[in-house]
Amino acid sequence: MQSRVMVSLEEGKETGVLSRTNRFKVLPLRSPRLLVLFIVLCVVFSVIIVYTVRLFGVDSLVMNARSSGFGSCYEEATSLEDWIRPPSNLMHNMSDKELLWRASFVPRIKKYPFARVPKIAFMFLTKGPLPLAPLWAKFLKGHEGLYSIYIHSLPSYQATFPPSSPFYNRQIPSQVSEWGRMSMCDAERRLLANALLDISNEWFILLSESCIPLYGFSAIYHYIMKSKYSFIGAFDDPGPYGRGRYNENMAPVVNITEWRKGSQWFEINRKLAINIVEDTRFYPKFEQFCRPACYVDEHYFPTMLTIQAGNLLANRSITWVDWSRGGAHPATFGKTDITLDFFKRVREGHKCLYNGRNITVCFLFARKFAPSALEPLLQIEPRVLGF
């Protein structure tokens, strides 16, 4: 066929004119049939499209197009409300690297273009069940919209809270964490990152399954809201359990004069939470050079935040614990310990600084409480805790 066309073209060059009749002669005889088939198919598709639009509307076509491929991987934000609405499902398939990157997003304009109500994110770091959940449910009741719940448990644990519970569907994608190792800090960063995805969360409190609140929700909310500082312990311990755990290989990123120690249980504001999830400078040093008998969960955050924003730290914890019995872990309290005198000892007789002035209300939470303490706690709560 190519030779016939070339001959025809050459003849055209010699005569200067290629007749319309000769051009059609070089085309295959089946071309008109293909053209007719193409026209028929176009007509059929046109009829289908018109019928679909009339029956279902234009939106159905758009949704069908998005149902496959990349369109199904995200929810399109068509309004400000879509952007600020917290995730409807806490379970996602992001890796830690992707999650921390996403959680580090910060608006450059500080003034919010909507009526933002700041919330407290209660972050529970636990192996499995929350035996004191009924007490927490009473504490939270009536304050919806002022708090969020996040639970990091063993991956194998499946919670069975009823839909009416504030803990219902509040588990986040979790991994195994070991006490004293970097995986524990990874779990805490995971909790912070998931909580940061809700733009309204302003304060972040790390709790365990053995923690209880010592006051009503309103009192705790206003105590935290009015504080100029975040509550995390960060002190310079010159002894073997402080500076004695420092590894010289951490310099110059962390010098021994900057080495700090503090309780694992903290309350921090949104700015410091972002500092923690976005950190790539201090993390490698602590991961490599702070291993048992250096317990990284006692040093990583206190040291890093002291270096980055020491002026924003109250340098104390608001979670009460009893170390008077000695040992590697604080005392655990059960059914027989829950008395009026016990709570008087926990809540009274303390002095601390709050916004630069001396006060006696120093602890808002307490631990550790065994499951057997639940019933007496629920009984004594109206007289002591006042939820």
Side-chain angles (χ1 to χ4, degrees):
M1 183 185 296
Q2 289 181 348
S3 61
R4 291 175 59 188
V5 174
M6 292 301 295
V7 171
S8 299
L9 290 175
E10 292 296 330
E11 292 176 351
K13 291 179 181 178
E14 293 176 359
T15 61
V17 177
L18 181 63
S19 67
R20 185 182 303 271
T21 303
N22 289 338
R23 270 186 281 173
F24 276 114
K25 285 181 181 180
V26 301
L27 295 175
L29 294 176
R30 60 182 179 179
S31 294
R33 296 178 184 177
L34 294 175
L35 180 62
V36 171
L37 179 60
F38 176 74
I39 294 174
V40 171
L41 291 174
C42 288
V43 172
V44 171
F45 279 115
S46 298
V47 171
I48 293 174
I49 291 173
V50 171
Y51 177 77
T52 303
V53 171
R54 289 181 178 178
L55 185 62
F56 301 106
V58 177
D59 291 342
S60 66
L61 296 178
V62 178
M63 293 303 295
N64 288 336
R66 290 176 181 168
S67 64
S68 60
F70 180 74
S72 62
C73 297
Y74 69 97
E75 298 178 4
E76 183 179 9
T78 58
S79 66
L80 178 63
E81 184 179 353
D82 294 330
W83 281 104
I84 64 177
R85 184 187 301 117
S88 57
N89 186 0
L90 296 186
M91 302 304 293
H92 53 75
N93 60 3
M94 284 186 285
S95 66
D96 279 356
K97 184 177 180 180
E98 293 168 337
L99 173 64
L100 296 175
W101 176 82
R102 173 63 183 86
S104 66
F105 288 5
V106 180
R108 298 298 297 272
I109 299 177
K110 301 303 180 183
K111 187 176 181 180
Y112 293 95
F114 60 95
R116 178 178 182 262
V117 178
K119 298 191 296 185
I120 297 176
F122 294 100
M123 308 180 302
F124 288 85
L125 181 59
T126 174
K127 291 182 178 180
L130 295 174
L132 304 178
L135 182 70
W136 282 97
K138 291 192 67 175
F139 166 77
L140 296 168
K141 187 176 181 180
H143 302 284
E144 293 76 12
L146 295 177
Y147 68 86
S148 302
I149 300 289
Y150 301 88
I151 304 171
H152 187 292
S153 62
L154 289 174
S156 59
Y157 174 71
Q158 296 296 324
T160 57
F161 296 106
S164 59
S165 170
F167 295 94
Y168 180 70
N169 281 349
R170 301 311 296 176
Q171 281 183 277
I172 66 168
S174 306
Q175 297 181 30
V176 175
S177 57
E178 298 180 71
W179 177 72
R181 296 191 177 273
M182 201 56 166
S183 59
M184 184 66 71
C185 294
D186 290 336
E188 296 171 12
R189 296 179 87 202
R190 209 172 287 126
L191 279 164
L192 286 170
N194 279 278
L196 282 167
L197 297 183
D198 185 343
I199 192 67
S200 294
N201 285 334
E202 182 62 27
W203 306 287
F204 305 79
I205 301 176
L206 184 66
L207 302 159
S208 75
E209 73 275 13
S210 65
C211 287
I212 67 166
L214 293 175
Y215 298 91
F217 183 92
S218 296
I220 290 178
Y221 184 91
H222 286 93
Y223 189 103
I224 292 173
M225 178 185 67
K226 294 179 180 179
S227 175
K228 300 176 183 178
Y229 304 97
S230 289
F231 296 98
I232 181 171
F235 59 94
D236 183 3
D237 180 359
Y241 303 113
R243 289 197 180 193
R245 296 173 175 174
Y246 175 79
N247 189 318
E248 293 180 353
N249 290 307
M250 302 188 77
V253 175
V254 178
N255 296 311
I256 192 169
T257 56
E258 300 168 319
W259 185 253
R260 295 293 183 271
K261 181 181 178 180
S263 170
Q264 176 185 7
W265 314 103
F266 59 75
E267 179 280 324
I268 57 176
N269 63 21
R270 190 173 184 89
K271 181 182 183 302
L272 298 185
I274 293 173
N275 284 0
I276 288 175
V277 302
E278 72 179 5
D279 173 49
T280 57
R281 180 170 182 246
F282 298 94
Y283 184 97
K285 290 292 186 180
F286 279 91
E287 182 182 35
Q288 184 175 2
F289 299 115
C290 185
R291 299 184 178 186
C294 176
Y295 299 106
V296 67
D297 52 283
E298 297 180 358
H299 297 281
Y300 174 30
F301 297 158
T303 300
M304 181 189 71
L305 294 179
T306 295
I307 295 172
Q308 292 184 330
N311 61 315
L312 300 179
L313 306 182
N315 194 17
R316 66 180 178 92
S317 174
I318 50 175
T319 300
W320 178 89
V321 292
D322 183 2
W323 291 97
S324 63
R325 301 179 187 179
H329 300 281
T332 298
F333 303 99
K335 181 177 181 178
T336 58
D337 296 303
I338 309 306
T339 64
L340 292 175
D341 289 338
F342 172 79
F343 276 99
K344 183 176 181 180
R345 178 166 69 90
V346 172
R347 301 206 303 183
E348 298 179 7
H350 308 291
K351 291 183 180 180
C352 57
L353 287 177
Y354 179 82
N355 291 339
R357 59 187 179 88
N358 291 311
I359 62 170
T360 57
V361 178
C362 301
F363 299 105
L364 306 182
F365 308 95
R367 62 186 302 269
K368 304 169 56 173
F369 292 85
S372 63
L374 176 61
E375 288 304 320
L377 283 171
L378 290 173
Q379 294 173 6
I380 205 172
E381 172 270 317
R383 288 183 292 166
V384 178
L385 305 179
F387 296 166

